[in-house]
Amino acid sequence: MSAPLRVERRDGVAILTLDRAEHGNAIDVAMADALLATALDCAGDPTVRAVILTGAGAMFCAGGDVAAFAAAGDAAPALMHRLTAPLHAAITRLAHMDAPLVTAINGAAAGAGFGLAMLGDIALAARSAKFATAYGAIGLTPDAGTTWLLPRLVGLRHAQRLALAGERIDAEEAARIGLVTRVVDDADLMGEAMTVAQRLARSSRTALRTTRDLLWSSSDTGLETHLAREADAIASAAGRPDGREGIAAFVEKRRPVFA
């Protein structure tokens, strides 16, 4: 049996490919476990300076493996816990690791795949990509961070029509409402994702980590508290080797070389 997640490392970038193309890259327990193990590995490896998440074949991710849910019968609730535990732990690690995340959404993203697509700090959608929460159609509720991320990205009204009414949208509308960063021609998607990831990989890993944390926490804190966090963060950054190198490079009119 082939691995459900392919991992390639290139020039400081880890490329994670959901690899159950014959099942629409639907997430089963094996894939959730593999995603968590790989997220932990990337988070703990200082040579990984950016991560790309994409899917094999024509779909990004169809969501959870509904066929497995049906086969589980009365054990479906236990299976849901077994699946979401590693999946949600992986999402947490991908969101808070030092390396920034680029999602390259190569096709349809539904259910948990919808949540994974949104997770990217930079989310690039192929022109052919489609987006749907899809849970209501099978009598289930969202997971994979969907109800946390969606209103923060697109606002409550768009979140309600997507999550409650189950509207399906294309890549252009996804970019228009802020669900993804931008749309890329299908043939150019991975090349553009690699270009973006390599640009991020050349940046200060510690500065990007702190910036990610500040952005993630911004909607949960008051202005004064957040200003204090920003002040502490920039003061700390100025004292680190990357901060000193960045300041020196700016003054000397050269590209910085971060550790």
Side-chain angles (χ1 to χ4, degrees):
M1 183 181 296
S2 60
L5 183 71
R6 275 190 284 119
V7 183
E8 177 188 357
R9 299 194 182 198
R10 192 191 313 166
D11 300 327
V13 178
I15 305 169
L16 317 185
T17 304
L18 305 175
D19 198 11
R20 298 185 73 220
E22 70 279 12
H23 301 290
N25 298 320
I27 302 170
D28 62 1
V29 168
M31 181 182 282
D33 286 344
L35 192 59
L36 174 56
T38 304
L40 290 169
D41 185 48
C42 289
D45 186 348
T47 69
V48 174
R49 303 182 68 88
V51 176
I52 296 173
L53 178 64
T54 191
M59 294 185 71
F60 176 71
C61 178
D65 190 337
V66 179
F69 302 158
D74 291 342
L79 175 60
M80 293 295 187
H81 278 297
R82 174 65 182 87
L83 179 64
T84 55
L87 175 61
H88 288 184
I91 287 170
T92 297
R93 181 50 51 204
L94 291 170
H96 294 295
M97 65 185 174
D98 289 1
L101 176 67
V102 177
T103 48
I105 307 150
N106 55 298
F114 188 104
L116 288 176
M118 289 189 291
L119 188 62
D121 299 292
I122 305 296
L124 303 177
R127 206 164 296 280
S128 64
K130 309 291 182 186
F131 299 85
T133 58
Y135 295 93
I138 55 173
L140 297 179
T141 57
D143 62 348
T146 298
T147 55
W148 193 91
L149 282 164
L150 188 57
R152 283 167 168 77
L153 290 173
V154 305
L156 183 59
R157 285 300 182 213
H158 286 306
Q160 287 168 322
R161 73 182 178 95
L162 293 170
L164 296 174
E167 289 189 24
R168 298 170 184 266
I169 62 173
D170 61 18
E172 296 291 347
E173 183 172 1
R176 180 182 64 79
I177 65 175
L179 185 69
V180 300
T181 307
R182 64 175 180 274
V183 180
V184 179
D185 288 340
D186 287 43
D188 298 331
L189 179 65
M190 286 309 296
E192 180 63 16
M194 195 64 189
T195 297
V196 170
Q198 288 176 328
R199 186 183 309 129
L200 290 167
R202 290 193 294 269
S203 301
S204 165
R205 196 171 188 260
T206 55
L208 288 179
R209 176 198 64 208
T210 304
T211 302
R212 293 180 91 212
D213 287 343
L214 287 167
L215 289 169
W216 281 118
S217 66
S218 63
S219 60
D220 298 324
T221 56
L223 175 60
E224 290 77 11
T225 299
H226 202 74
L227 285 170
R229 289 181 181 176
E230 286 187 338
D232 289 343
I234 195 170
S236 178
R240 295 193 191 107
D242 278 359
R244 293 195 295 270
E245 165 63 8
I247 292 168
F250 181 85
V251 171
E252 296 163 13
K253 296 182 170 55
R254 60 174 175 82
R255 175 179 286 183
V257 179
F258 294 115

